[in-house]
């Protein structure tokens, strides 16, 4: 079920245009993350072959740290991609814009910055403080 209005924490609603813009933003972010993961996979496949054909030791020494950085970037991209997919699913289910902890609406300004956000500002701060 797709809804065209969601109430935010000031008692106003996200209009159909707001939701369409947020959905478009999420789709763009999803494409970016998918492309990022594709490029990281390609780099991971290319590096071992080029490192084994070179006699220069510095490239061999860089291969380990570069692979570690690529691994961390890929893990981060997969996490963000999962958050984006979850936000799109919440839009389809009609529960997009509600905090997953307190169930209060997430502020429109926060969604404009972090459209895949699961938590209102207060709950996000509490979660981060608990780490």
């Amino acid at each position: 079920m797709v809804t065209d209005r969601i109430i935010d924490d000031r008692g106003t609603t996200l209009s159909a245009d707001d939701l369409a813009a947020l959905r478009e933003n999420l789709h763009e972010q999803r494409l970016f993350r998918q492309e990022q993961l594709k490029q990281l996979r390609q780099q991971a496949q290319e590096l071992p072959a080029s490192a084994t054909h070179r006699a220069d030791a510095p490239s061999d020494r860089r291969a380990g740290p570069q692979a570690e950085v690529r691994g961390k970037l890929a893990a981060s991209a997969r996490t963000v991609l999962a958050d984006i997919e979850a936000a799109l699913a919440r839009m389809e289910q009609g529960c997009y814009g509600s905090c997953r902890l307190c169930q209060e609406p997430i502020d429109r300004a926060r969604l404009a910055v972090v459209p895949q956000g699961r938590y209102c500002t207060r709950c996000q701060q509490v979660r981060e403080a608990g780490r």
Side-chain angles (χ1 to χ4, degrees):
M1 175 180 91
V2 178
T3 61
D4 63 350
R5 295 192 179 273
I6 297 174
I7 299 175
D8 75 12
D9 58 3
R10 290 183 295 246
T12 60
T13 59
L14 294 174
S15 68
D17 289 342
D18 292 334
L19 288 172
L22 290 165
R23 184 178 289 109
E24 179 63 26
N25 186 322
L26 287 166
H27 283 293
E28 288 173 10
Q29 287 187 40
R30 178 171 57 185
L31 290 173
F32 173 80
R33 294 301 174 179
Q34 289 170 335
E35 181 62 27
Q36 182 183 29
L37 286 167
K38 179 181 172 185
Q39 289 176 1
L40 288 168
R41 280 190 299 272
Q42 288 172 344
Q43 290 172 3
Q45 292 170 353
E46 292 168 2
L47 186 63
S50 63
T52 58
H53 289 100
R54 291 186 180 159
D56 54 330
S59 68
D60 291 342
R61 284 194 298 262
R62 285 184 300 220
Q66 288 175 351
E68 183 179 346
V69 168
R70 270 194 315 278
K72 289 181 180 183
L73 286 172
S76 177
R78 283 190 298 271
T79 299
V80 173
L81 185 57
D83 289 344
I84 291 166
E85 295 291 349
L88 289 167
R90 288 192 304 275
M91 279 186 171
E92 290 302 315
Q93 296 164 356
C95 58
Y96 177 78
S98 295
C99 178
R100 306 307 282 171
L101 290 178
C102 70
Q103 306 305 312
E104 293 294 320
I106 301 172
D107 184 65
R108 178 185 295 163
R110 176 166 171 72
L111 290 174
V113 174
V114 186
Q116 72 272 22
R118 295 174 186 248
Y119 308 105
C120 67
T121 302
R122 184 177 53 83
C123 289
Q124 182 67 42
Q125 290 170 344
V126 169
R127 285 181 49 82
E128 289 174 1
R131 289 184 191 181

